[in-house]
Amino acid sequence: MGLCFSRNSTGKKRPTSRRLTNQSAAAAVSGGAVNGSNRWSRNRSTKRDDSLIQERALAAAILFQQQLQNGGGGGGAVPFDRSTSLRYPNSNSKKNQPLPRSSSSRARSLTDPLLQPHQLVSNQELKVDDLETNHFVLVHGGGFGAWCWYKTIALLEEAGFKVTAVDLTGSGIHSFDTNSIASLSQYVQPLTDFLEKLADGEKVILVGHDFGGACISFAMELYSFKVSKAVFIAAAMLTSGQSALDIFSQKTDSNDLTRQSQIFIYANGNDKPPTAIDLDKSLLRDLLFNHSPAKDVALASVSMRSIPFSPVLEKLCLSDSKYGSVRRFYIETAEDNAIPIALQQSMISNNPPERVFHLKGADHSPFFSKPQALHRLLVEISRIQST
C-alpha cells in the first residue's frame, strides 16, 4: 500500500487510481474492459516513480534498524538480507535482561504487561531444543513487510528461537514493481524459495498475518512436509476454491473502513482491471492500528506499499493430503477493524483449525498493539505436542 508505478515505455502515461468496491473490482476482472462505467469513480492519479520507491524503501530499512537500536531488539540492529530478513539468536544475548520500555504514551493494558523474556511463557523453563522445531517463519500481510515483525522477532529470539521474516515480492525492501505481479505464485516466491532451500528433514512453524494467511496456505500445499504447524493471525484462512477477495467481499457494510480506504491503481489504463490496491493514509490508523503505539504507526506510514491485485483474485487449490495434513492454529484479534472478529469466526467455522486463541484488546496489527501477548501465544503453540 505505499507506492506503485507502471512500466510504460512512452513515459507519457502514468497509473491512475480510483476507489472501487470489492464487488466492482471482481466485476472488472470477470467482465473485461469497461467503457466509462459509472461504477468506477475516479479518485486521483498517482505520480510516483522508481526513485521515490527506492527512497521509501531506504527509509523503511533505516527506521527498522532505528527501532531495534532504540528499544526493539536488545541486541543491536540487524540488517535485512536482500529479499528475506534472516535473523538468528545472538549467542551473547542475556536471557534475563529486561525488555526496553515502549516509548508509547498509551497506558499499558493488563492483558499485555511488560515482562522479562523468561516470564513471557510460564514458570517452567523453556527448552526450545526439545521442540519438534524452534524455527518460526513470519509472513506479513498485504502492504506490510518483514519490518512489521520487529517486536515479535526480538521476543522470540530472546526466548531462544530461530526466526526468519520474509519480504514477499514487491513488499518491504524487495525491489519489484507491485503493478507487475501477475499471480500468487510470483508474489509468494520469496517464501517458497526459502522453503525449497531448507535442509532435508528440517521443519518450520509458518505464521501468516492478514493476506499472509492465503500466502502460507499456498506454501503449505507445496511444502507440507516442511511445515510443522501453521499459525493464522487475523488472517485469510481459505478453503479450497476460495480467493482472498471472496472472503473480504463478505464485508458488505457500505460504511466499512476497508471499502472507504481502498484506492485501486490502474497501471495498465483505466479500461483495464486494477493492478494494485493502495490505502488512504488518513484512514490508516483507524483501519489497521487503532490500538497500536504512535511510533509504530509512523513506521508503517513510511514503510507500507501497495497490495498487488492479481494474487487477491486467485482461487486456491488446497488438498486434504497436503495442506490438510498441516496442523493449523488461529489467533483472533478482538478489536480488529480490517478483518472484524465476526469475519474471522466465519472463516474458523468454515475451515476449523486445531485450536483457536483470542487476543483481547488487539487491533489488526497485534505485533504492534499486543506484542507480549502475541509472543506468549506463539510460544504456547510451538509447545503443543501431537495427540
Side-chain angles (χ1 to χ4, degrees), residues 11 43 46 143 170 200 243 295 352 367:
N43 179 58
T46 58
D200 292 342
S243 69
K295 66 175 184 179
F367 37 74

Side-chain angles (χ1 to χ4, degrees), residues 175-190:
S175 56
F176 194 86
D177 179 2
T178 306
N179 294 288
S180 299
I181 298 174
S183 66
L184 184 58
S185 62
Q186 182 183 10
Y187 182 59
V188 181
Q189 187 171 349

Side-chain angles (χ1 to χ4, degrees), residues 116-173:
Q116 294 185 1
H118 68 280
Q119 296 175 300
L120 287 171
V121 183
S122 71
N123 293 328
Q124 301 177 356
E125 182 180 358
L126 173 66
K127 296 180 180 180
V128 296
D129 292 338
D130 295 337
L131 301 174
E132 179 183 9
T133 179
N134 64 357
H135 190 173
F136 281 93
V137 177
L138 309 178
V139 182
H140 61 81
F144 290 85
W147 50 267
C148 73
W149 298 107
Y150 78 93
K151 294 179 182 180
T152 302
I153 291 169
L155 290 168
L156 287 173
E157 287 184 342
E158 283 288 347
F161 288 92
K162 183 177 178 180
V163 187
T164 301
V166 180
D167 272 324
L168 300 177
T169 304
S171 304
I173 62 170

